[in-house]
Amino acid sequence: MLWAAASVVGLGFMIGLEIVSRHYGTPGPITTQAREVIFPPKSGTVLYAAMTLMLVVLTWRQRFIAVGAAVGIDLVFWLVRWLADAPMMFGNGALIVTLACAVIAVTRRTGRERVLLLKGVGLALLLVAGRKTGYTWLDITAITRPMVLDQYVATADHALGNPSWVAGQIVRATGSVGAHVLEWVYIQLAVGAVVVALYQLRRVEVERRFPTHHLVRSFLVIGLLGPAIYMIFPVVGPIFAYGADGGRWALADLWPNTPPPLGTPQAMVFDGLTPRNCMPSLHTAWATAIFIHSRKGPRALRFLGVFWLVATLGATLGFGYHYGADILGGVVFTATIEMALRAFDRGWDRRGVLVAGYGAAVFTALLLSYRFLPQELAALPWLCGPLLVLATASVVYASVRTVRLWDREAPAVSVPAPRRETQPELV
């Protein structure tokens, strides 16, 4: 029932977003996704990553058949596009195979096997739809929020030492090699997520069920709730508001050489194309989720989680996409969502609900301080900077401590002692 309800809500949300997108003259997520069955996809990597998630419910023989079919279909599409001199891109095969598995589940499977395969297909399509929904939502933020609050966040960032400007200079000093590595990690965030998710879902094919809590669920909730904050707190980022990428809309070409001077911040008009997708930093939020879910894996997976988080932070700041204040917001945002999801899994555990509520309060306080107290934060950097970091760290500490308490209690709850019969049961 929960999966069915989630599917209905998700479908209704996408239909509503499609209608709103058409109202503003842009194609919606359903239209753009349907086109990728035939036309070149925007990201073939994401389509194959989504199909890989679906493969966890199949046997090894079925996986080889699915991957072979996807690659074969892509080769045919590649040949046709090459002959027609059309844009080259892969990924159609992965999407077609995923949709074919949905048809097989409905027509050829029954009972639990049908439900399990539909869950796998739904997981894959949710990942793809989430990305398309995100692109559509970003277009809507640019159209519906002409005023941005970058001056407020940039002023508050003085309390943190203007980390975007510092990171930008460091990335520039590393040259093209460092920039290319960070750019690849930033763009291919789904790759790191799928690696961690595959480890968490590795036993689905054997146990024929999904684990209670896994990374994909956290990813989807972060992607669903985050864009709503964009509408409340629209920010375009340093590279646009204070850099060359902003063109005539930028206040000045300062990033990353010269931090913006202190003054009285005010909302400013920006173009109708640049997404208002800074507060909070969802790339940081997703990378934090990857880090959290990799902690219980083997050493290589834990190393991957650390690398992906550090590289993502370097890219978000070093490329001028985010302010330091956005990073703190992204970390608190993820910690709060993780706590809420885990508390829900435990029947709304009181400790988990309290920590999630505390995280939501801290996140709200951060947004209010950036908006209404930026000059006060910048005037006392030696005090306010550590307080902002300490508030973020307190949410992380409370979350980690609560999860460790749950882990200590888990054996007593999940592994009950065997019940002894007073006498042999009559047969």
Side-chain angles (χ1 to χ4, degrees):
M1 291 179 63
L2 182 61
W3 278 82
S7 300
V8 171
V9 172
L11 181 61
F13 176 76
M14 291 192 67
I15 293 175
L17 195 57
E18 181 79 21
I19 295 172
V20 173
S21 302
R22 295 297 184 90
H23 173 73
Y24 287 111
T26 61
I30 298 177
T31 301
T32 54
Q33 191 57 68
R35 285 176 53 85
E36 292 189 351
V37 176
I38 302 296
F39 295 97
K42 188 168 185 177
S43 175
T45 304
V46 172
L47 293 177
Y48 269 95
M51 186 189 73
T52 303
L53 287 179
M54 181 200 65
L55 296 182
V56 300
V57 306
L58 303 179
T59 64
W60 279 106
R61 178 177 176 275
Q62 293 167 341
R63 291 170 186 172
F64 284 124
I65 294 174
V67 173
V71 173
I73 293 171
D74 269 329
L75 288 176
V76 173
F77 271 89
W78 182 86
L79 179 60
V80 172
R81 286 170 184 154
W82 178 69
L83 293 174
D85 196 24
M88 306 299 291
M89 179 53 72
F90 63 95
N92 301 88
L95 180 58
I96 291 173
V97 168
T98 302
L99 296 175
C101 286
V103 176
I104 292 173
V106 175
T107 60
R108 304 293 296 275
R109 300 287 180 88
T110 59
R112 293 182 60 186
E113 290 301 312
R114 172 187 288 176
V115 173
L116 186 66
L117 183 53
L118 286 176
K119 285 182 179 180
V121 172
L123 205 62
L125 294 180
L126 278 174
L127 180 64
V128 175
R131 191 176 181 89
K132 293 300 178 185
T133 300
Y135 287 139
T136 303
W137 197 273
L138 294 183
D139 291 338
I140 292 175
T141 63
I143 296 172
T144 61
R145 293 295 182 269
M147 308 295 289
V148 298
L149 305 177
D150 282 76
Q151 294 185 37
Y152 292 91
V153 184
T155 301
D157 235 32
H158 280 272
L160 300 171
N162 299 298
S164 180
W165 273 257
V166 176
Q169 295 176 20
I170 293 174
V171 170
R172 178 176 292 181
T174 62
S176 60
V177 175
H180 284 134
V181 171
L182 294 180
E183 182 181 22
W184 185 86
V185 172
Y186 187 85
I187 294 175
Q188 303 298 342
L189 182 70
V191 174
V194 167
V195 171
V196 176
L198 286 178
Y199 175 80
Q200 293 181 319
L201 304 176
R202 67 193 183 280
R203 297 190 60 83
V204 171
E205 188 266 333
V206 176
E207 299 177 353
R208 313 309 292 167
R209 65 180 180 85
F210 281 86
T212 305
H213 184 58
H214 52 83
L215 177 61
V216 180
R217 189 171 70 156
S218 300
F219 250 61
L220 293 173
V221 175
I222 290 171
L224 179 64
L225 299 180
I229 312 299
Y230 294 163
M231 303 293 284
I232 299 172
F233 209 107
V235 180
V236 293
I239 190 65
F240 298 103
Y242 295 96
D245 287 18
R248 67 184 183 89
W249 301 94
L251 288 174
D253 189 2
L254 301 176
W255 189 91
N257 300 314
T258 307
L262 289 175
T264 302
Q266 57 185 355
M268 65 182 194
V269 179
F270 213 79
D271 65 31
L273 299 175
T274 305
R276 280 63 164 152
N277 63 335
C278 279
M279 182 62 70
S281 168
L282 289 196
H283 261 81
T284 299
W286 283 319
T288 303
I290 292 175
F291 173 80
I292 292 172
H293 285 266
S294 67
R295 291 304 84 200
K296 293 186 178 181
R299 179 179 298 179
L301 196 68
R302 296 197 301 270
F303 175 79
L304 174 72
V306 173
F307 168 75
W308 223 272
L309 177 59
V310 173
T312 301
L313 292 178
T316 54
L317 292 172
F319 292 147
Y321 298 147
H322 289 282
Y323 303 92
D326 308 336
I327 305 302
L328 298 184
V331 172
V332 175
F333 190 67
T334 296
T336 303
I337 288 175
E338 281 287 332
M339 262 296 97
L341 290 175
R342 291 173 184 265
F344 171 77
D345 293 336
R346 298 177 66 89
W348 293 116
D349 180 271
R350 181 174 177 274
R351 282 175 298 192
V353 172
L354 289 176
V355 174
Y358 174 67
V362 171
F363 181 73
T364 303
L366 289 177
L367 294 185
L368 291 176
S369 66
Y370 299 155
R371 176 63 178 83
F372 297 106
L373 299 173
Q375 292 176 287
E376 289 76 4
L377 296 176
L380 299 171
W382 55 271
L383 174 63
C384 297
L387 282 178
L388 293 175
V389 175
L390 183 62
T392 303
S394 68
V395 177
V396 174
Y397 173 76
S399 301
V400 172
R401 185 171 181 272
T402 303
V403 171
R404 287 179 177 174
L405 288 174
W406 286 341
D407 289 342
R408 293 195 194 104
E409 297 171 357
V413 174
S414 60
V415 187
R419 182 173 60 90
R420 294 190 176 185
E421 298 289 341
T422 56
Q423 61 181 13
E425 184 179 54
L426 298 177
V427 179

Short mmCIF file of all heavy atoms in Angstrom, two decimals, residues 263-307:
data_model
loop_
_atom_site.label_atom_id
_atom_site.label_comp_id
_atom_site.label_asym_id
_atom_site.label_seq_id
_atom_site.Cartn_x
_atom_site.Cartn_y
_atom_site.Cartn_z
N GLY A 263 28.27 45.83 2.56
CA GLY A 263 27.34 46.93 2.35
C GLY A 263 25.97 46.53 2.83
O GLY A 263 25.82 45.54 3.55
N THR A 264 24.98 47.29 2.43
CA THR A 264 23.61 46.95 2.80
C THR A 264 23.02 46.06 1.72
O THR A 264 22.79 46.50 0.60
CB THR A 264 22.76 48.23 2.93
OG1 THR A 264 23.35 49.10 3.91
CG2 THR A 264 21.34 47.88 3.36
N PRO A 265 22.79 44.77 2.03
CA PRO A 265 22.29 43.85 1.00
C PRO A 265 20.85 44.15 0.63
O PRO A 265 20.06 44.65 1.45
CB PRO A 265 22.43 42.48 1.66
CG PRO A 265 22.34 42.76 3.12
CD PRO A 265 22.97 44.09 3.33
N GLN A 266 20.49 43.82 -0.59
CA GLN A 266 19.12 43.95 -1.05
C GLN A 266 18.87 42.95 -2.17
O GLN A 266 19.80 42.48 -2.82
CB GLN A 266 18.85 45.37 -1.54
CG GLN A 266 19.78 45.83 -2.65
CD GLN A 266 19.56 47.28 -3.03
OE1 GLN A 266 18.63 47.93 -2.53
NE2 GLN A 266 20.38 47.80 -3.92
N ALA A 267 17.60 42.63 -2.36
CA ALA A 267 17.25 41.72 -3.46
C ALA A 267 17.52 42.40 -4.78
O ALA A 267 17.36 43.62 -4.92
CB ALA A 267 15.78 41.33 -3.35
N MET A 268 17.98 41.62 -5.76
CA MET A 268 18.30 42.20 -7.05
C MET A 268 17.67 41.38 -8.17
O MET A 268 17.43 40.18 -8.04
CB MET A 268 19.82 42.28 -7.25
CG MET A 268 20.53 40.94 -7.30
SD MET A 268 22.31 41.16 -7.47
CE MET A 268 22.82 39.51 -7.94
N VAL A 269 17.42 42.04 -9.29
CA VAL A 269 16.82 41.39 -10.45
C VAL A 269 17.89 40.58 -11.17
O VAL A 269 19.03 41.03 -11.31
CB VAL A 269 16.19 42.42 -11.40
CG1 VAL A 269 15.59 41.74 -12.62
CG2 VAL A 269 15.13 43.23 -10.67
N PHE A 270 17.49 39.37 -11.63
CA PHE A 270 18.41 38.57 -12.43
C PHE A 270 17.64 38.02 -13.63
O PHE A 270 16.42 38.15 -13.71
CB PHE A 270 18.99 37.42 -11.59
CG PHE A 270 20.41 37.08 -11.99
CD1 PHE A 270 21.47 37.86 -11.55
CD2 PHE A 270 20.68 36.01 -12.81
CE1 PHE A 270 22.77 37.57 -11.92
CE2 PHE A 270 21.97 35.70 -13.19
CZ PHE A 270 23.03 36.48 -12.74
N ASP A 271 18.38 37.40 -14.57
CA ASP A 271 17.75 36.97 -15.82
C ASP A 271 16.73 35.86 -15.58
O ASP A 271 16.65 35.29 -14.49
CB ASP A 271 18.81 36.51 -16.83
CG ASP A 271 19.57 35.27 -16.38
OD1 ASP A 271 18.99 34.44 -15.67
OD2 ASP A 271 20.75 35.13 -16.75
N GLY A 272 15.97 35.55 -16.60
CA GLY A 272 14.94 34.53 -16.49
C GLY A 272 15.39 33.16 -16.96
O GLY A 272 14.55 32.30 -17.24
N LEU A 273 16.73 32.93 -17.02
CA LEU A 273 17.26 31.66 -17.49
C LEU A 273 18.08 30.92 -16.44
O LEU A 273 18.08 29.69 -16.40
CB LEU A 273 18.14 31.88 -18.74
CG LEU A 273 17.45 32.49 -19.97
CD1 LEU A 273 18.47 32.76 -21.06
CD2 LEU A 273 16.35 31.59 -20.47
N THR A 274 18.78 31.66 -15.58
CA THR A 274 19.68 31.03 -14.61
C THR A 274 18.86 30.45 -13.46
O THR A 274 18.09 31.16 -12.82
CB THR A 274 20.67 32.06 -14.05
OG1 THR A 274 21.37 32.68 -15.14
CG2 THR A 274 21.67 31.39 -13.12
N PRO A 275 19.02 29.15 -13.16
CA PRO A 275 18.27 28.54 -12.05
C PRO A 275 18.61 29.18 -10.71
O PRO A 275 19.76 29.53 -10.45
CB PRO A 275 18.70 27.07 -12.09
CG PRO A 275 19.23 26.86 -13.46
CD PRO A 275 19.84 28.16 -13.88
N ARG A 276 17.62 29.30 -9.86
CA ARG A 276 17.82 29.80 -8.49
C ARG A 276 18.00 28.59 -7.57
O ARG A 276 17.15 28.27 -6.74
CB ARG A 276 16.61 30.61 -8.04
CG ARG A 276 16.57 32.04 -8.56
CD ARG A 276 16.48 32.19 -10.06
NE ARG A 276 16.07 33.53 -10.45
CZ ARG A 276 16.39 34.13 -11.57
NH1 ARG A 276 17.13 33.51 -12.47
NH2 ARG A 276 15.97 35.36 -11.84
N ASN A 277 19.10 27.88 -7.71
CA ASN A 277 19.24 26.55 -7.11
C ASN A 277 20.42 26.45 -6.14
O ASN A 277 21.12 25.44 -6.13
CB ASN A 277 19.41 25.50 -8.21
CG ASN A 277 20.67 25.71 -9.03
OD1 ASN A 277 21.18 26.81 -9.13
ND2 ASN A 277 21.17 24.65 -9.62
N CYS A 278 20.61 27.46 -5.33
CA CYS A 278 21.76 27.45 -4.42
C CYS A 278 21.40 27.08 -2.99
O CYS A 278 22.18 26.40 -2.31
CB CYS A 278 22.43 28.83 -4.43
SG CYS A 278 23.53 29.04 -5.85
N MET A 279 20.30 27.55 -2.48
CA MET A 279 19.99 27.40 -1.06
C MET A 279 18.85 26.40 -0.84
O MET A 279 17.71 26.69 -1.19
CB MET A 279 19.61 28.75 -0.45
CG MET A 279 19.32 28.70 1.02
SD MET A 279 20.72 28.18 2.02
CE MET A 279 21.81 29.61 1.86
N PRO A 280 19.15 25.21 -0.26
CA PRO A 280 20.48 24.72 0.12
C PRO A 280 21.18 24.08 -1.07
O PRO A 280 20.56 23.85 -2.11
CB PRO A 280 20.15 23.67 1.18
CG PRO A 280 18.84 23.10 0.72
CD PRO A 280 18.08 24.27 0.12
N SER A 281 22.45 23.76 -0.90
CA SER A 281 23.20 23.08 -1.95
C SER A 281 22.76 21.61 -1.98
O SER A 281 23.13 20.82 -1.11
CB SER A 281 24.71 23.17 -1.68
OG SER A 281 25.41 22.30 -2.53
N LEU A 282 21.98 21.24 -2.99
CA LEU A 282 21.51 19.85 -3.08
C LEU A 282 22.64 18.92 -3.50
O LEU A 282 22.62 17.72 -3.15
CB LEU A 282 20.34 19.74 -4.05
CG LEU A 282 19.02 20.35 -3.58
CD1 LEU A 282 17.87 19.84 -4.42
CD2 LEU A 282 18.76 20.06 -2.11
N HIS A 283 23.63 19.41 -4.24
CA HIS A 283 24.78 18.56 -4.52
C HIS A 283 25.50 18.18 -3.22
O HIS A 283 25.90 17.03 -3.03
CB HIS A 283 25.75 19.27 -5.47
CG HIS A 283 25.60 18.86 -6.90
ND1 HIS A 283 24.61 19.37 -7.71
CD2 HIS A 283 26.27 17.96 -7.66
CE1 HIS A 283 24.70 18.83 -8.91
NE2 HIS A 283 25.70 17.97 -8.91
N THR A 284 25.63 19.15 -2.33
CA THR A 284 26.21 18.84 -1.03
C THR A 284 25.30 17.90 -0.25
O THR A 284 25.78 16.97 0.42
CB THR A 284 26.41 20.14 -0.22
OG1 THR A 284 27.32 20.99 -0.94
CG2 THR A 284 26.97 19.85 1.16
N ALA A 285 24.00 18.12 -0.31
CA ALA A 285 23.06 17.26 0.41
C ALA A 285 23.16 15.82 -0.09
O ALA A 285 23.22 14.87 0.70
CB ALA A 285 21.64 17.80 0.23
N TRP A 286 23.18 15.64 -1.41
CA TRP A 286 23.27 14.29 -1.97
C TRP A 286 24.62 13.65 -1.65
O TRP A 286 24.69 12.46 -1.34
CB TRP A 286 23.03 14.34 -3.47
CG TRP A 286 21.59 14.48 -3.84
CD1 TRP A 286 20.53 13.84 -3.26
CD2 TRP A 286 21.04 15.30 -4.87
NE1 TRP A 286 19.35 14.21 -3.87
CE2 TRP A 286 19.63 15.11 -4.87
CE3 TRP A 286 21.59 16.18 -5.81
CZ2 TRP A 286 18.78 15.75 -5.76
CZ3 TRP A 286 20.75 16.83 -6.70
CH2 TRP A 286 19.35 16.62 -6.66
N ALA A 287 25.70 14.42 -1.77
CA ALA A 287 27.02 13.87 -1.44
C ALA A 287 27.11 13.49 0.03
O ALA A 287 27.76 12.50 0.39
CB ALA A 287 28.11 14.88 -1.80
N THR A 288 26.47 14.27 0.89
CA THR A 288 26.43 13.93 2.31
C THR A 288 25.67 12.63 2.53
O THR A 288 26.05 11.79 3.36
CB THR A 288 25.78 15.07 3.11
OG1 THR A 288 26.51 16.28 2.90
CG2 THR A 288 25.77 14.76 4.61
N ALA A 289 24.58 12.45 1.79
CA ALA A 289 23.82 11.19 1.89
C ALA A 289 24.66 10.01 1.43
O ALA A 289 24.63 8.93 2.04
CB ALA A 289 22.54 11.29 1.06
N ILE A 290 25.43 10.18 0.35
CA ILE A 290 26.34 9.13 -0.10
C ILE A 290 27.35 8.79 1.00
O ILE A 290 27.62 7.62 1.29
CB ILE A 290 27.07 9.56 -1.39
CG1 ILE A 290 26.08 9.63 -2.55
CG2 ILE A 290 28.21 8.60 -1.73
CD1 ILE A 290 26.69 10.18 -3.84
N PHE A 291 27.90 9.82 1.62
CA PHE A 291 28.86 9.60 2.71
C PHE A 291 28.24 8.84 3.87
O PHE A 291 28.81 7.88 4.39
CB PHE A 291 29.39 10.96 3.18
CG PHE A 291 30.26 10.89 4.40
CD1 PHE A 291 31.59 10.53 4.30
CD2 PHE A 291 29.73 11.19 5.66
CE1 PHE A 291 32.39 10.45 5.44
CE2 PHE A 291 30.52 11.12 6.78
CZ PHE A 291 31.85 10.75 6.68
N ILE A 292 27.03 9.24 4.27
CA ILE A 292 26.37 8.60 5.41
C ILE A 292 26.10 7.12 5.11
O ILE A 292 26.38 6.25 5.93
CB ILE A 292 25.05 9.34 5.73
CG1 ILE A 292 25.35 10.73 6.29
CG2 ILE A 292 24.21 8.54 6.74
CD1 ILE A 292 24.11 11.61 6.45
N HIS A 293 25.58 6.83 3.94
CA HIS A 293 25.19 5.45 3.62
C HIS A 293 26.39 4.57 3.29
O HIS A 293 26.24 3.34 3.24
CB HIS A 293 24.20 5.45 2.47
CG HIS A 293 22.82 5.88 2.86
ND1 HIS A 293 21.84 4.99 3.22
CD2 HIS A 293 22.27 7.11 2.97
CE1 HIS A 293 20.73 5.65 3.53
NE2 HIS A 293 20.96 6.94 3.38
N SER A 294 27.55 5.17 3.05
CA SER A 294 28.74 4.35 2.79
C SER A 294 29.46 3.95 4.06
O SER A 294 30.39 3.13 4.00
CB SER A 294 29.71 5.14 1.88
OG SER A 294 30.24 6.26 2.58
N ARG A 295 29.06 4.47 5.21
CA ARG A 295 29.81 4.25 6.45
C ARG A 295 29.79 2.79 6.90
O ARG A 295 30.73 2.34 7.56
CB ARG A 295 29.24 5.12 7.58
CG ARG A 295 29.46 6.60 7.47
CD ARG A 295 30.91 6.99 7.33
NE ARG A 295 31.38 6.91 5.95
CZ ARG A 295 32.65 6.82 5.61
NH1 ARG A 295 33.58 6.74 6.54
NH2 ARG A 295 33.01 6.78 4.34
N LYS A 296 28.75 2.05 6.58
CA LYS A 296 28.66 0.66 7.03
C LYS A 296 29.12 -0.33 5.97
O LYS A 296 28.93 -1.54 6.12
CB LYS A 296 27.22 0.34 7.45
CG LYS A 296 26.78 1.10 8.69
CD LYS A 296 25.41 0.66 9.17
CE LYS A 296 25.02 1.40 10.44
NZ LYS A 296 23.69 0.99 10.95
N GLY A 297 29.76 0.16 4.93
CA GLY A 297 30.26 -0.71 3.89
C GLY A 297 31.72 -1.07 4.11
O GLY A 297 32.33 -0.69 5.12
N PRO A 298 32.33 -1.79 3.19
CA PRO A 298 33.74 -2.12 3.29
C PRO A 298 34.62 -0.89 3.14
O PRO A 298 34.13 0.21 2.81
CB PRO A 298 33.95 -3.11 2.13
CG PRO A 298 32.84 -2.81 1.18
CD PRO A 298 31.68 -2.38 2.01
N ARG A 299 35.92 -1.07 3.35
CA ARG A 299 36.83 0.08 3.36
C ARG A 299 36.79 0.84 2.03
O ARG A 299 36.81 2.08 2.02
CB ARG A 299 38.25 -0.40 3.65
CG ARG A 299 39.27 0.73 3.65
CD ARG A 299 40.65 0.22 3.98
NE ARG A 299 40.70 -0.36 5.31
CZ ARG A 299 41.80 -0.90 5.84
NH1 ARG A 299 42.92 -0.94 5.12
NH2 ARG A 299 41.78 -1.40 7.05
N ALA A 300 36.76 0.12 0.92
CA ALA A 300 36.75 0.80 -0.39
C ALA A 300 35.52 1.67 -0.55
O ALA A 300 35.59 2.79 -1.08
CB ALA A 300 36.82 -0.24 -1.52
N LEU A 301 34.38 1.20 -0.07
CA LEU A 301 33.14 1.98 -0.17
C LEU A 301 33.20 3.19 0.75
O LEU A 301 32.74 4.28 0.38
CB LEU A 301 31.94 1.10 0.17
CG LEU A 301 30.58 1.65 -0.26
CD1 LEU A 301 30.47 1.65 -1.78
CD2 LEU A 301 29.44 0.83 0.33
N ARG A 302 33.76 3.02 1.92
CA ARG A 302 33.90 4.16 2.83
C ARG A 302 34.84 5.21 2.24
O ARG A 302 34.58 6.42 2.36
CB ARG A 302 34.43 3.70 4.20
CG ARG A 302 33.48 2.76 4.93
CD ARG A 302 33.82 2.67 6.41
NE ARG A 302 35.18 2.20 6.62
CZ ARG A 302 35.53 0.93 6.77
NH1 ARG A 302 34.61 -0.02 6.68
NH2 ARG A 302 36.79 0.58 6.98
N PHE A 303 35.90 4.76 1.60
CA PHE A 303 36.81 5.69 0.94
C PHE A 303 36.09 6.43 -0.18
O PHE A 303 36.26 7.64 -0.36
CB PHE A 303 38.01 4.93 0.38
CG PHE A 303 38.94 5.79 -0.43
CD1 PHE A 303 39.85 6.63 0.18
CD2 PHE A 303 38.88 5.78 -1.83
CE1 PHE A 303 40.70 7.44 -0.58
CE2 PHE A 303 39.72 6.58 -2.58
CZ PHE A 303 40.64 7.41 -1.96
N LEU A 304 35.26 5.71 -0.95
CA LEU A 304 34.49 6.34 -2.01
C LEU A 304 33.58 7.42 -1.45
O LEU A 304 33.46 8.52 -2.03
CB LEU A 304 33.66 5.30 -2.76
CG LEU A 304 32.69 5.85 -3.81
CD1 LEU A 304 33.46 6.37 -5.03
CD2 LEU A 304 31.69 4.79 -4.26
N GLY A 305 32.90 7.14 -0.32
CA GLY A 305 32.02 8.13 0.28
C GLY A 305 32.75 9.39 0.69
O GLY A 305 32.27 10.51 0.48
N VAL A 306 33.94 9.22 1.28
CA VAL A 306 34.74 10.38 1.69
C VAL A 306 35.19 11.17 0.46
O VAL A 306 35.09 12.40 0.42
CB VAL A 306 35.96 9.94 2.52
CG1 VAL A 306 36.88 11.12 2.79
CG2 VAL A 306 35.51 9.31 3.83
N PHE A 307 35.70 10.44 -0.54
CA PHE A 307 36.18 11.11 -1.76
C PHE A 307 35.07 11.88 -2.44
O PHE A 307 35.26 13.03 -2.86
CB PHE A 307 36.76 10.07 -2.71
CG PHE A 307 37.02 10.60 -4.10
CD1 PHE A 307 38.11 11.44 -4.35
CD2 PHE A 307 36.17 10.29 -5.15
CE1 PHE A 307 38.34 11.94 -5.62
CE2 PHE A 307 36.39 10.79 -6.43
CZ PHE A 307 37.49 11.62 -6.66
#
